[in-house]
Amino acid sequence: MKIIRGIKEMRELSRKAHEEKKRVGLVPTMGALHKGHLSLIQRARKENDAVFVSVFVNPIQFGPKEDYRRYPRNLKADARLCGQAGADAIFFPDERSMYSSGHGTHVCVEGLSDILCGKLRPGHFKGVTTVVAKLFNIVDPDTAYFGQKDAQQAVIVKKMAGELNMPVTIKVLPTVREKDGLAMSSRNAYLNDRERSDAAVLFQALTLAKDLLKRRFNDTSLIVRKMKELINSKRSVKIQYVCVVDPRSLRPLHKITGKALVMLAVKIGGVRLIDNIMVNRNA
Ligand code: PAF
């Protein structure tokens, strides 16, 4: 597994791939890779001739009280997994090369970045879109792959790429789940046994929303209330939000009449987890 640390070297590798008419796929990550990331890399492998995985714990998407310092880092394990999943190289830049001192240029998708998770994590999505724009500029991928677990991020990145005319296709792939339904996340590793077992309630709540809709309950205030009751039955889980929104605008829906995104964010112990599912009244 090739590990590329320099921006110039990464650019050169991608330029060569394009010159050879290769399709270039990028999977942007912060490392601590799990099966969710691997599904993205495997799909990128199927659809491209050159597959790059960026591993960069992006400081500017973490708030001052968040887990930037303790975010899990394990390049050796990540490199092994990337190799097994079929990546050609890891792009592993250091913080100083990505953000020189006095860095002052940011990309922000207004309207979508300060609601839901953005309201609770001010500046988070501005940090995400800035680093993703930089990665797109450096790696110049034809296609970039993101997970549906970070639904708001996916919507924001798509809008950024579209509105800034970035020549990249954004693909969003389904959430990969543990046996009990918990969405794979690098942060699951922070949970103790009790918290890990309580965390199964998140997928149960999302499934409850789907079941209620199947039974023709499409009033979102009822769905959200029932979900909250279920989640609150686990003492270690503290709800940050539960909502049903339009999948593109992320604005709240009062009734589900077609497709809708059911989203939640909670804290379990000190660990913040998010999850979502898409539902469809007409399915
Ligand atoms: O989803 C993530 O891991 C990060 O937000 C991303 C897209 C790699 C940007 O740092």
Side-chain angles (χ1 to χ4, degrees):
M1 170 61 39
K2 216 186 248 175
I3 296 179
I4 299 160
R5 290 167 196 268
I7 289 176
K8 241 174 141 182
E9 206 185 336
M10 183 64 247
R11 257 191 219 295
E12 186 52 24
L13 199 65
S14 169
R15 193 193 56 75
K16 251 195 184 150
H18 284 299
E19 220 172 63
E20 291 164 11
K21 303 272 178 269
K22 287 182 173 168
R23 283 166 307 171
V24 173
L26 170 68
V27 182
T29 81
M30 297 205 298
L33 302 183
H34 51 68
K35 286 184 188 154
H37 297 113
L38 299 188
S39 77
L40 305 180
I41 302 168
Q42 284 156 353
R43 172 72 87 88
R45 178 73 280 162
K46 277 193 191 136
E47 297 180 350
N48 298 277
D49 308 299
V51 175
F52 303 124
V53 177
S54 62
V55 172
F56 179 63
V57 184
N58 176 33
I60 69 164
Q61 71 186 73
F62 289 81
K65 292 198 179 123
E66 292 183 356
D67 55 345
Y68 172 64
R69 292 274 160 230
R70 78 161 176 153
Y71 197 84
R73 291 160 170 87
N74 191 344
L75 182 63
K76 219 168 153 188
D78 289 345
R80 186 172 38 78
L81 292 170
C82 279
Q84 285 167 5
D88 293 303
I90 290 182
F91 176 47
F92 182 65
D94 66 21
E95 202 178 310
R96 265 185 310 156
S97 62
M98 289 294 274
Y99 300 112
S100 56
S101 72
H103 176 98
T105 307
H106 296 93
V107 178
C108 184
V109 176
E110 286 173 0
L112 290 175
S113 295
D114 53 4
I115 56 174
L116 302 165
C117 288
K119 199 166 170 183
L120 295 155
R121 303 183 70 191
H124 167 69
F125 288 113
K126 184 169 144 188
V128 170
T129 39
T130 299
V131 81
V132 171
K134 283 170 76 70
L135 292 168
F136 287 176
N137 281 335
I138 296 164
V139 180
D140 189 18
D142 295 295
T143 310
Y145 297 81
F146 294 84
Q148 172 63 25
K149 186 187 73 84
D150 296 298
Q152 187 173 5
Q153 169 173 283
V155 171
I156 289 174
V157 167
K158 267 191 177 171
K159 191 164 159 73
M160 171 189 77
E163 292 183 351
L164 293 183
N165 309 98
M166 294 173 164
V168 57
T169 301
I170 307 298
K171 290 208 174 168
V172 182
L173 304 191
T175 303
V176 178
R177 298 181 179 282
E178 303 281 1
K179 273 206 182 93
D180 63 358
L182 179 66
M184 299 264 178
S185 162
S186 309
R187 290 189 169 100
N188 292 350
Y190 299 149
L191 300 170
N192 66 29
D193 289 350
R194 173 68 200 278
E195 292 163 349
R196 171 63 191 82
S197 124
D198 285 355
V201 79
L202 306 185
F203 187 61
Q204 289 162 12
L206 293 170
T207 308
L208 174 64
K210 203 169 179 177
D211 290 346
L212 286 167
L213 186 64
K214 242 191 222 154
R215 286 159 47 203
R216 299 276 137 202
F217 293 102
N218 73 337
D219 176 351
T220 59
S221 59
L222 175 125
I223 292 173
V224 167
R225 181 160 49 79
K226 292 282 178 202
M227 288 176 71
K228 283 184 172 172
E229 277 169 17
L230 178 60
I231 297 170
N232 284 332
S233 70
K234 301 291 175 193
R235 281 233 314 270
S236 71
V237 188
K238 301 280 173 270
I239 295 174
Q240 291 198 321
Y241 65 76
V242 174
C243 60
V244 184
V245 300
D246 175 86
R248 280 219 270 179
S249 69
L250 301 180
R251 294 292 157 190
L253 293 171
H254 298 295
K255 292 239 177 291
I256 304 178
T257 54
K259 275 191 179 174
L261 195 57
V262 185
M263 302 176 76
L264 57 81
V266 303
K267 272 207 162 172
I268 307 187
V271 186
R272 187 170 188 278
L273 297 178
I274 56 172
D275 201 353
N276 68 85
I277 50 166
M278 191 75 86
V279 294
N280 188 349
R281 172 101 205 256
N282 306 318

